[in-house]
Structure formats: structure tokens, C-alpha cells
Amino acid sequence: MLQKFLSEEQGHITINNMLTISDRGQNMPASPIRKLVPYAEAAKAKGTHIYHLNIGQPDIETPPVMMEAIRNAHFKVLEYSHSAGNESYRKKMAAYYKRVNIDIDYNQIIITTGASEAIFFGIMCCLDAGDEIIMPEPFYANYYGFAIAANVVVKPITSHIENSFALPSMEAFENAITPKTKAILICNPNNPTGYLYSKEEMETLKSICLKHNLFLFSDEAYREFCYSGKHFSAMNLTGMEEHVILLDSISKRYSACGARLGAFITRNQQVLDAAMKFAQARLSPPGFGQIGAEALMDLPENYFDATKNEYQKRRDALVSRLNKMPGVVCPNPGGAFYAMAKLPIDNADKFCQWLLESFSYNNKTLMLAPGSGFYETPGLGQQEVRLAYVLNVDDINAAMDCLEKALEEYSKQVTLN
């Protein structure tokens, strides 16, 4: 951008070249989950212990077979893999999906750099700039970020804490659909609410997509962690073979977030061919991650039993404690390892910052994710927070002790002000 200005000292007009970032860069939202990190770092520097319930980083041990496979890998050159990912890994992934009743061919799988890249591939392949994508809110914040990056318009339809964040009505979807609408994006089980969509709700989405000729993006990264009801995959919606794009990841399933391994899966060959162009542009997914992830595919089917039971204990402890606090409302999540709670506060962003800046109980505090960052509709989520139950039960109870005291103290401060 060129800007003219008058130099007072020399009395003549000069041209100043001022660099500016793109509108896309300016509009890209900051992470609502990580924006409080500087306050957490300052609290830790003062010696305050922080219970991190703000981010879905599991504390479950990554399966040792993953590390062993990486340590025992023998090669002289760490080469690019196939742009779709190593064939041997994709074949083992296809076998894994068959075990969970999803019948796909390994050639219908593109390995991605985390589910994040799979989301980006889906949006870039199926929507043009100015097209619209419907997302039930609250939704995983990065969905919005990737839509903004692609100049795609997010059309939110609101789910409500009063009915545990169930899928909005068909009427709500119909009211949001315009000629520009091209897709619906869901997460099942849901991040941030933990809601598990039923087969009936998935059939509702099917009828909407077929009626209006829409893509259905289904993020199923938490399918192993369902506590009430069974997971029903979008890939098993009959008649939707051309419409469904499955987004997946090993990050939460195997507590391997840092491996950055996800998957983009569809039976729609045209979409798959388009996604391969993006996959080729970024050359290949992470090499060491694929080596380790391939070993994970050989774990016994009962591997998830202990992890699932542990998360269910944590969920029960967290939800029970929250709902015993005066003025707090927290639905019982059906899956994943997140809960959304409504607190008796004026503003969750302000409260979460106050927890880190100004509060401690026995020199401890907790870090939460403000609910507003998971909504696109202005003004929603102001009293809500997301809690990730990725700490052991003892730490969850200690964190809830802190929260209970914090709500008492915060209430007095707000009253005084």
C-alpha cells in the first residue's frame, strides 16, 4: 500500500512504501483455546500450579509400540512417501475401518498432516470462495479458521445446552440453506460439547444432504470414546456414497497428537482426485509419524477398553462436581472427552483470564477454554466454558475445588464492582 505524506522538515511530498498483510491474514481468528497461554505462562512463572482443562491433550500414555517402531526403523534416506501416504499404512488403516464396520478401500484414503489438513482439503476441494458451509454451533474453533482461510462463509445453526447440544432441528437447517450452501460439517462425538449424534440424527442429516445436494463432512476423531449409545458413522449412511467425506486422526484415539497424522476419506472419486492435487502440492505426510502409526494398527481390538473406562470415570467425576456447584449447568457428554458448562458468571473470557491473573487456591488455579470462541453467532457462549477431562480423577477433583472457590470469590468481586 502506498501512502503519501508531507515531511515537515524538508517541506516536500515523499512516497512511503508500507507493507500490509492480506485481508485473509487479518481476518484469520486467533485460537480461543490458546489465546490465554501468555497469562498461564505468567502464572507459572510466579509459582502457581495450573490444572489444564483448556486443551484436548490426553495424558494417557502413547502406546509403546509406536515409539518402538520408529526406533527400530532401518533406512539410509528418509524419503518422501507417496503423496497419499505409505501404501502399507493405508492398507492397515482400511483393515482398521473394517473392524469398526466401515467398508472402504485403501485407495480411498489420503493420509494428512493431522485432521487439520483433512479439514482444509475438504473445504478447498468442495467449496469455492463465497460458498457457504453449515456448522452446528458450538463447533471446533479451527473449522471456522479453515473456512476463513478459504474465503468460505460459515452459516451457524445453534444447538443449546438446555437439550444437551442435540442436533438442531431440520427446520433450522432448512432456514439456513441458500443457493450458495454446499456442505454441512459435523463432529461426532462432538468437540466441544461431547454430544454423540444418534443414528436417527445422522439419518436427518442424510435427508437434508440428499434433498439439497450437499456434501457432509464428518469429523469422527473420537469414535472410540462413546459412553452412552453407539457411534454411527456417516460412511454408513446408504445412498450418501458421493456426499460423505470422513475426516479422521490418530491424535486423540492413540494419544499421539504430536505425530500429526490424520486421514481424508471418501468414496467420491472426483473429490478424491481433487484432494490428491492438494496432497501432491504439500508433497507427503510426516514420515516418522506414518511408521509409528502403522504399528498402532496392529494393537488388539480391546486396546481402547481401558482408555475408554478411564475417560468415563473422569467424565463422571467432572460432571458430578460441576452440577453440585450453585448455578452451574453441565450436560452429561455422550462421548469424546469434553464437556461444556454454563457458569454463574458475567463473561467467560474475562473469568478465564481472571483465573490465571488474579486467583489461586492453595497456590493452584485452573485453565479453561471460554465458550464464546466456539460460537460464530455474536453474543453466544458468554457464560459457557469448555472443559477437557484429560487429567486423572484426583487432579480433576482438585481442579473442581479451585473452580468452586473461584466462583465464590468472583461472585463477590462482581457484586462489589
Side-chain angles (χ1 to χ4, degrees), residues 156-208:
I157 53 173
T158 307
S159 60
H160 302 278
I161 196 168
E162 290 77 14
N163 67 345
S164 302
F165 299 104
L167 187 75
S169 67
M170 183 179 287
E171 182 182 8
F173 279 94
E174 294 277 2
N175 290 339
I177 292 172
T178 76
K180 282 283 192 179
T181 307
K182 297 294 172 64
I184 296 171
L185 171 55
I186 63 165
C187 182
N188 186 33
N190 187 269
N191 175 11
T193 67
Y195 187 82
L196 175 63
Y197 293 118
S198 67
K199 181 179 179 181
E200 291 71 26
E201 287 171 313
M202 296 299 292
E203 290 288 346
T204 296
L205 289 170
K206 168 186 167 178
S207 65
I208 295 168

Side-chain angles (χ1 to χ4, degrees), residues 40 42-50 355-356 359-360 363-365:
K44 289 176 183 177
K46 293 189 295 185
T48 305
H49 178 80
I50 297 176
L355 283 172
L356 298 170
F359 172 81
S360 70
N363 205 33
K364 298 174 182 178
T365 190

Side-chain angles (χ1 to χ4, degrees), residues 4 11 48 70 80 152 175 244 258 337:
K4 290 184 178 181
T48 305
I70 294 171
Y80 293 125
V152 165
N175 290 339
V244 173
F337 42 66

